[in-house]
């Protein structure tokens, strides 16, 4: 396994529409394992392939608490096949938008279908934070970030802040 660099917004690679995998083969499994290791190293709970520069529709999630055993969820070609009528606003963050948080309104429950790490079709219903996390990660596969769900004013404020941080970091490296 390997820890991959995480792409920080704003970046055109985070706006791409990702491509379905033909099957979950060894190459996809390696990508999943690397993504999971990268996510754990950054203390994240979800990561989409686009965030590490891959154009595959692949997501990893682990919502277990630090004191609990790891409980990784591997998804290829995930699709939301049902959403609840009721919505809720919850605070979201993203490894590609470090230290930035905002409330996002989404359906409170969903049903998702995907290929697991063994290329088996799986389906389950999720609610609350798991539903938020799945919707957030699936958005990444279509080039959508959580800031795309909030007001343009607040989105631009966050992206300007990140642009400034990236510029400062690039200058620091150059010195
Ligand atoms: Ni994210």
């Amino acid at each position: 396994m390997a820890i991959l660099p995480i792409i920080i917004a704003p970046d055109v690679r985070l706006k791409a529409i990702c491509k379905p995998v033909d099957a979950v083969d060894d190459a996809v499994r390696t990508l999943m394992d690397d993504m999971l290791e990268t996510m754990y190293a950054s203390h994240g709970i979800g990561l989409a392939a686009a965030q590490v520069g891959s154009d595959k529709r692949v997501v990893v999630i682990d919502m277990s608490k630090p004191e609990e055993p790891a409980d990784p969820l591997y998804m290829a070609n995930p699709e939301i096949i049902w959403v609840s009528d009721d919505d809720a606003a919850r605070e979201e963050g993203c490894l590609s938008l470090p230290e930035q948080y905002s409330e996002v309104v989404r359906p409170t429950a969903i049903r998702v279908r995907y290929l697991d790490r063994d290329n088996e079709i799986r389906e389950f219903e999720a609610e609350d934070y798991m539903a938020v996390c799945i919707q957030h990660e699936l958005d990444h596969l279509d080039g959508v970030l959580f800031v795309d769900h909030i007001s343009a004013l607040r989105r631009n404020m966050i992206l300007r802040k990140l642009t400034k941080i990236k510029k400062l970091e690039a200058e620091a490296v150059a010195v």
Side-chain angles (χ1 to χ4, degrees):
M1 296 210 279
I3 295 175
L4 308 168
I6 294 176
I7 297 169
I8 306 301
D11 190 302
V12 68
R13 290 169 292 176
L14 295 172
K15 306 307 291 173
I17 308 284
C18 296
K19 299 185 183 80
V21 302
D22 295 330
V24 179
D25 55 15
D26 284 344
V28 173
R29 271 188 284 275
T30 299
L31 172 65
M32 287 171 158
D33 292 344
D34 288 348
M35 285 169 59
L36 195 72
E37 193 180 3
T38 303
M39 184 187 86
Y40 286 149
S42 304
H43 308 288
I45 55 169
L47 190 70
Q51 295 177 271
V52 290
S54 160
D55 66 350
K56 301 276 187 295
R57 299 187 80 82
V58 170
V59 159
V60 294
I61 290 173
D62 188 339
M63 297 209 47
S64 61
K65 296 190 178 71
E67 66 273 20
E68 294 171 351
D71 186 19
L73 184 59
Y74 306 89
M75 295 179 160
N77 304 345
E79 276 177 274
I80 290 173
I81 55 173
W82 170 82
V83 298
S84 63
D85 290 333
D86 50 327
D87 299 328
R90 289 191 193 269
E91 194 173 73
E92 295 187 26
C94 180
L95 292 176
S96 291
L97 294 102
E99 319 270 312
Q100 307 304 315
Y101 302 92
S102 211
E103 281 208 336
V104 177
V105 177
R106 299 185 188 269
T108 52
I110 57 138
R111 190 162 185 85
V112 64
R113 183 184 292 156
Y114 60 100
L115 289 171
D116 71 7
R117 200 175 177 282
D118 298 314
N119 200 42
E120 300 285 337
I121 298 174
R122 303 255 172 207
E123 208 178 291
F124 70 90
E125 213 168 296
E127 53 181 19
D128 298 327
Y129 270 111
M130 181 56 111
V132 170
C133 188
I134 291 170
Q135 292 175 85
H136 174 117
E137 298 312 328
L138 266 59
D139 268 356
H140 275 298
L141 305 180
D142 293 313
V144 175
L145 303 174
F146 80 82
V147 288
D148 294 318
H149 293 287
I150 64 178
S151 75
L153 187 73
R154 185 153 168 72
R155 173 169 60 250
N156 291 335
M157 197 186 79
I158 289 176
L159 293 176
R160 266 202 307 273
K161 208 184 287 178
L162 289 169
T163 303
K164 209 162 140 190
I165 293 168
K166 281 213 279 191
K167 199 168 157 249
L168 287 173
E169 279 174 1
E171 281 169 6
V173 168
V175 167

